[in-house]
Amino acid sequence: SFEEIYINDEVVTIDGSGNVTSPSQYNSKVRINLHLGSSDQTADSDLVSESAKWTTSHRLRGIAYMYVRLKFDADAFPNGIPVITATVKGKKLYDPRTSTTVWSDNPALCLRDYLTSKYGLAEDEYNIDDTLVSSAANVCDQTNTLASTTRYTCNGAFTTASTPYDMLSELLKSMGGSMWYAQGKWRMKPAYWTSPVMD
């Protein structure tokens, strides 16, 4: 999902037709069409009608994107084309604890997803120790009762130019954890205190 959209670091409000309504300087000057990358996604109809280079075949299925159209106005855009960014919620992740696939910022689930995704290691699901993934996810989801914060979260973005080693290292850092391959399965553990078993 697109949580917030910014034009030059200002949060904008969009109406049901994609027109920016605030800040007022962008009213009737900016239209933003959002697409979440569903498997049956169709091409943006506005973009198809407004560009000779975009056709109904350009569906971008599986890819989230924004189509932004700006109407020139020197008062609205005194410094030229503005920088447009967004805060997004990314890919939905499989959770072996509930057998559901939903958005999550749980580092253990992010790591599991990277291990099994085609842009990651493309491991078969049976090569993942989901018992340890579930235990790790439970630790990551623990809350600090004083601050009401989650113990570990994973937020950010990456490109496929990053090496798998670098990606795995960064994902593990987000839970202070470790990962290893043993007896034909990937296993993981986040950082957390356990009571001693021996004096």
Side-chain angles (χ1 to χ4, degrees):
S1 64
F2 292 89
E3 299 294 291
E4 292 180 315
I5 298 171
Y6 301 83
I7 297 179
N8 289 335
D9 297 326
E10 285 187 283
V11 177
V12 299
T13 304
I14 301 172
D15 67 16
S17 300
N19 298 307
V20 172
T21 57
S22 72
S24 58
Q25 71 203 55
Y26 303 126
N27 195 2
S28 75
K29 309 282 187 311
V30 181
R31 186 184 67 225
I32 302 174
N33 296 346
L34 306 175
H35 300 275
L36 300 179
S38 65
S39 59
D40 61 349
Q41 182 166 274
T42 58
D44 185 288
S45 58
D46 288 334
L47 184 52
V48 169
S49 66
E50 295 167 358
S51 171
K53 299 184 183 228
W54 203 262
T55 71
T56 55
S57 297
H58 295 103
R59 297 183 294 250
L60 299 181
R61 291 179 176 178
I63 300 171
Y65 72 99
M66 294 188 294
Y67 167 46
V68 180
R69 181 161 175 118
L70 307 172
K71 181 178 180 182
F72 175 76
D73 186 301
D75 294 329
F77 311 113
N79 298 317
I81 297 174
V83 175
I84 299 172
T85 57
T87 302
V88 300
K89 280 189 175 178
K91 184 179 180 187
K92 294 178 180 179
L93 309 175
Y94 175 75
D95 188 338
R97 299 171 297 177
T98 60
S99 297
T100 58
T101 303
V102 296
W103 180 86
S104 176
D105 60 1
N106 184 301
L109 302 182
C110 292
L111 182 56
R112 184 192 186 283
D113 182 73
Y114 186 78
L115 289 171
T116 58
S117 293
K118 63 183 177 182
Y119 55 76
L121 296 189
E123 273 288 358
D124 289 323
E125 303 244 346
Y126 57 79
N127 289 341
I128 309 296
D129 186 333
D130 276 337
T131 301
L132 286 182
V133 171
S134 296
S135 296
N138 287 336
V139 170
C140 293
D141 279 344
Q142 290 173 350
T143 55
N144 177 332
T145 53
L146 296 176
S148 296
T149 56
T150 304
R151 182 190 289 259
Y152 297 121
T153 61
C154 179
N155 296 282
F158 67 93
T159 68
T160 53
S162 301
T163 67
Y165 177 83
D166 290 338
M167 279 308 308
L168 293 171
S169 297
E170 291 301 313
L171 288 166
L172 286 167
K173 281 181 193 175
S174 67
M175 62 180 182
S178 59
M179 184 178 69
W180 65 99
Y181 186 82
Q183 300 173 323
K185 289 190 181 288
W186 288 98
R187 304 166 194 275
M188 65 181 71
K189 183 177 181 183
Y192 66 101
W193 183 85
T194 57
S195 58
V197 296
M198 190 185 332
D199 291 335

